[in-house]
Amino acid sequence: MLEPFRAIIDGDEPPPPGSRAPDAEELSRALQVLLKAQVIYSSTPGIGRSFELARHYQPFFTDYFACLGYQMAVSHRDQMVSLTLPIDAARHDIVSERLRKDETLVLLALRLAYEEGVRDHRISTDGIVEITTDDLVESIRTAARSDPPDEARLIETLRLFARRGGVRLGERDRAERVTPVMVLPGILVLASDGWLERIEAWANAADGAGDGGE
């Protein structure tokens, strides 16, 4: 991968239209940003040219992350670049982490909120579904039949998923004690179909054990 890396920073590969070729630090940063975040957008703050470079030099980024077992995807509609792993691959991304029960419930509620937004045509042209923390709390209570985390813990968990490109938080309404939540297309990466299948299998196994295996 050193030769393609060098070709980009030396300008042997055409730079992005109307822009210059990245230097070694910029290109390395873009790789690190995507690996850490897993999902980035053209509007993601604080990432410099990472989105632009990942999209423009997609063949290089694709090959680089393939060496790590990831599949890179560029969604021009959502202005999103994401990394995924095959369902049967060893995982070291966010869904492989030992998420706490409340974090798992919040992630499930976010995925459900996104699906409902798409179904009810409440999705924006940017692929965003807008909800509130109250909506998440209600979803956890009704759909998951579980006690939701308190407000502080919920915001902490949402910030975790925000760093991974799954959501964006708005300004808290102090009077109503509610925070707007923009569920981004990246939630389909963080809470993938494969992850949902594993959660369902685990829940069914737990239910079977509780019933004595009957």
Side-chain angles (χ1 to χ4, degrees):
M1 297 304 297
L2 290 179
E3 290 184 7
F5 185 95
R6 179 62 61 183
I8 290 174
I9 63 176
D10 285 347
D12 296 336
E13 293 288 338
S19 186
R20 57 174 175 78
D23 57 27
E25 182 178 352
E26 271 188 311
L27 190 55
S28 295
R29 181 191 183 195
L31 291 166
Q32 293 171 21
V33 162
L34 187 52
L35 183 60
K36 180 179 179 180
Q38 192 176 349
V39 181
I40 61 174
Y41 305 87
S42 60
S43 59
T44 300
I47 63 170
R49 300 172 65 201
S50 297
F51 175 83
E52 175 193 14
L53 297 179
R55 182 175 61 175
H56 181 73
Y57 297 112
Q58 183 177 354
F60 165 74
F61 277 76
T62 298
D63 291 344
Y64 177 88
F65 287 114
C67 294
L68 304 179
Y70 286 95
Q71 297 173 339
M72 191 182 101
V74 177
S75 173
H76 297 284
R77 183 196 65 184
D78 299 323
Q79 291 291 286
M80 178 181 78
V81 177
S82 63
L83 297 179
T84 59
L85 281 167
I87 294 176
D88 57 350
R91 303 192 67 103
H92 302 283
D93 56 356
I94 189 170
V95 300
S96 70
E97 298 173 3
R98 291 184 177 273
L99 293 178
R100 298 178 181 179
K101 179 183 177 181
D102 58 352
E103 293 169 341
T104 300
L105 289 174
V106 172
L107 188 55
L108 284 168
L110 288 169
R111 170 69 191 249
L112 178 61
Y114 194 83
E115 290 181 344
E116 290 177 343
V118 172
R119 183 195 64 198
D120 299 338
H121 307 289
R122 292 184 291 103
I123 187 169
S124 73
T125 55
D126 296 327
I128 298 172
V129 173
E130 295 189 13
I131 60 170
T132 69
T133 46
D134 277 358
D135 295 326
L136 286 175
V137 166
E138 184 62 24
S139 178
I140 292 172
R141 282 183 178 144
T142 57
R145 298 180 182 177
S146 184
D147 292 331
D150 61 32
E151 183 183 15
R153 176 61 181 156
L154 178 57
I155 294 299
E156 178 186 358
T157 302
L158 288 171
R159 285 174 178 161
L160 166 66
F161 299 135
R163 290 193 294 271
R164 297 290 187 147
V167 299
R168 190 180 305 137
L169 301 181
E171 192 71 27
R172 181 177 184 266
D173 186 323
R174 295 187 178 183
E176 299 292 334
R177 299 184 63 183
V178 64
T179 301
V181 180
M182 285 145 280
V183 190
L184 308 177
I187 203 66
L188 300 178
V189 176
L190 303 187
S192 66
D193 291 342
W195 180 75
L196 292 176
E197 290 172 3
R198 287 192 294 275
I199 291 293
E200 183 178 5
W202 175 85
N204 290 337
D207 287 342
D211 294 336
E214 297 180 3

